[in-house]
Amino acid sequence: MDEMKKRETLILEWMKELGKDIVKNKDEAMEIEEKTSFNDLVTNMDKSVEKELTSRIRENFPTDRIVGEEGYGDDVDTLDGTIWFLDPIDGTLNFVKQRENFALMVGVFVDGVGELAAVYDVMRDKLYSARKGDGIRCNGQTLEKPESLPLSEGLLATSSVLMVNEENAYVRELGRQSMGVRALGSAGLEVVEVAKGNVVAYMARNLKPWDIAPGVVFMEELGMKATQFDGSELDMLSSNHAVFGTEPAHKEIVNSHNSQ
Ligand code: IPD
Ligand code: CA
Ligand code: CA
């Protein structure tokens, strides 16, 4: 089996297995800590999932490097070679407050190019995955490319922070131009919504490489757009104000951002 195929097979197995553990333990008391503020949380589950993934990756692919949200990975400052981006639980606030609407996320990049992606919507048991050149699947079933609709013919997903901040008046105007605004609270699941055609775009500030890695691969596979708000390339070593969407909706958002 080639190495990338082995990575793909293992990712899908690991996600399902770790997801089952989360479901089994989700009603147990959680250890919750604040990171940078009262609504930036980490739980014992975020940590144990990342620890487990990190040790399995190191055992199977010792020369690969790992960028993990909770800090169990490596110090990475170049995109050379094979890099795994891990977000053990995307949507931790949802995990804590709702016990649903969160996802396990993995993206694998080689020399800066997205090769593999997986987003596991644990509570709905839906595993979205992609391998470069092979399209996106949900539990193994290929997803069709959605219709390329503009904002006026679709919904806009965004983060609640971006929508409520006074200085982001242009985002509220974009919301008014769309048929409606949605905020799910998991960057990974929101890009899945774009990939499925449930929303025409998703935009959010300060997304980290592990928040966007799978989405970058998904958009590429569907011929959709993923850039910074100003239209420039996403940076997989830094924070990004990122927009994912159909070509027309993405263009409307970038133009509106650039003409503020
Ligand atoms: C967060 C979620 C959220 C987004 C934040 C992310 P986390 O990830 O994806 O929707 O608005 O910027 O940090 O912290 O739950 O993994
Ligand atoms: Ca995240
Ligand atoms: Ca997380």
Side-chain angles (χ1 to χ4, degrees), residues 48-164:
S48 71
V49 169
E50 186 170 310
K51 262 194 206 159
E52 190 56 40
L53 282 173
T54 305
S55 87
R56 291 182 190 198
I57 295 163
R58 289 198 171 123
E59 194 184 318
N60 285 278
F61 307 100
T63 60
D64 290 3
R65 294 186 297 158
I66 301 166
V67 176
E69 177 175 16
E70 308 307 341
Y72 298 102
D74 304 302
D75 285 329
V76 170
D77 55 14
T78 71
L79 291 175
D80 301 336
T82 302
I83 301 181
W84 295 65
F85 293 94
L86 306 181
D87 191 336
I89 297 187
D90 182 56
T92 297
L93 259 185
N94 291 348
F95 180 56
V96 171
K97 304 307 291 182
Q98 306 176 333
R99 299 288 201 276
E100 60 183 342
N101 300 317
F102 60 88
L104 307 190
M105 308 214 295
V106 173
V108 177
F109 280 54
V110 177
D111 296 330
V113 177
E115 291 285 337
L116 294 175
V119 173
Y120 186 28
D121 181 342
V122 174
M123 300 313 291
R124 294 181 183 85
D125 190 22
K126 289 199 167 166
L127 177 50
Y128 299 91
S129 63
R131 178 163 180 186
K132 189 175 166 47
D134 197 29
I136 308 190
R137 293 164 212 267
C138 173
N139 293 344
Q141 290 235 292
T142 302
L143 293 187
E144 296 305 324
K145 181 180 172 166
E147 236 190 305
S148 208
L149 298 173
L151 283 175
S152 60
E153 291 180 59
L155 299 166
L156 171 65
T158 179
S159 70
S160 54
V161 178
L162 189 55
M163 191 47 65
V164 298

Side-chain angles (χ1 to χ4, degrees), residues 6-251:
K6 182 176 165 195
R7 289 185 187 91
E8 184 184 19
T9 307
L10 288 176
I11 290 174
L12 302 184
E13 273 175 33
W14 294 344
M15 300 281 253
K16 284 273 181 171
E17 187 190 328
L18 294 169
K20 260 193 215 138
D21 286 348
I22 294 182
V23 173
K24 202 165 75 199
N25 294 313
K26 81 176 177 44
D27 296 322
E28 303 285 313
M30 263 186 228
E31 289 161 35
I32 303 168
E33 288 165 54
E34 284 183 15
K35 296 208 278 188
T36 57
S37 66
F38 80 105
N39 60 0
D40 181 17
L41 306 178
V42 60
T43 72
N44 53 315
M45 197 60 91
D46 298 67
K47 292 182 186 176
S48 71
V49 169
E50 186 170 310
K51 262 194 206 159
E52 190 56 40
L53 282 173
T54 305
S55 87
R56 291 182 190 198
I57 295 163
R58 289 198 171 123
E59 194 184 318
N60 285 278
F61 307 100
T63 60
D64 290 3
R65 294 186 297 158
I66 301 166
V67 176
E69 177 175 16
E70 308 307 341
Y72 298 102
D74 304 302
D75 285 329
V76 170
D77 55 14
T78 71
L79 291 175
D80 301 336
T82 302
I83 301 181
W84 295 65
F85 293 94
L86 306 181
D87 191 336
I89 297 187
D90 182 56
T92 297
L93 259 185
N94 291 348
F95 180 56
V96 171
K97 304 307 291 182
Q98 306 176 333
R99 299 288 201 276
E100 60 183 342
N101 300 317
F102 60 88
L104 307 190
M105 308 214 295
V106 173
V108 177
F109 280 54
V110 177
D111 296 330
V113 177
E115 291 285 337
L116 294 175
V119 173
Y120 186 28
D121 181 342
V122 174
M123 300 313 291
R124 294 181 183 85
D125 190 22
K126 289 199 167 166
L127 177 50
Y128 299 91
S129 63
R131 178 163 180 186
K132 189 175 166 47
D134 197 29
I136 308 190
R137 293 164 212 267
C138 173
N139 293 344
Q141 290 235 292
T142 302
L143 293 187
E144 296 305 324
K145 181 180 172 166
E147 236 190 305
S148 208
L149 298 173
L151 283 175
S152 60
E153 291 180 59
L155 299 166
L156 171 65
T158 179
S159 70
S160 54
V161 178
L162 189 55
M163 191 47 65
V164 298
N165 275 359
E166 203 47 54
E167 73 262 32
N168 295 322
Y170 82 99
V171 181
R172 287 196 291 279
E173 181 49 38
L174 286 167
R176 282 190 285 274
Q177 285 163 25
S178 76
M179 295 177 80
V181 176
R182 300 289 181 268
L184 192 52
S186 155
L189 292 178
E190 282 170 300
V191 181
V192 164
E193 290 290 277
V194 177
K196 289 163 80 173
N198 288 353
V199 301
V200 289
Y202 166 62
M203 61 188 299
R205 283 162 63 95
N206 298 319
L207 293 182
K208 303 293 187 291
W210 47 80
D211 294 313
I212 60 172
V216 167
V217 181
F218 289 164
M219 293 297 97
E220 183 69 32
E221 282 310 292
L222 293 171
M224 299 174 90
K225 294 284 190 181
T227 70
Q228 309 264 4
F229 287 179
D230 65 5
S232 62
E233 243 182 78
L234 293 169
D235 181 349
M236 295 306 293
L237 292 172
S238 184
S239 216
N240 293 273
H241 301 333
V243 50
F244 302 81
T246 63
E247 208 166 329
H250 171 269
K251 198 177 197 175

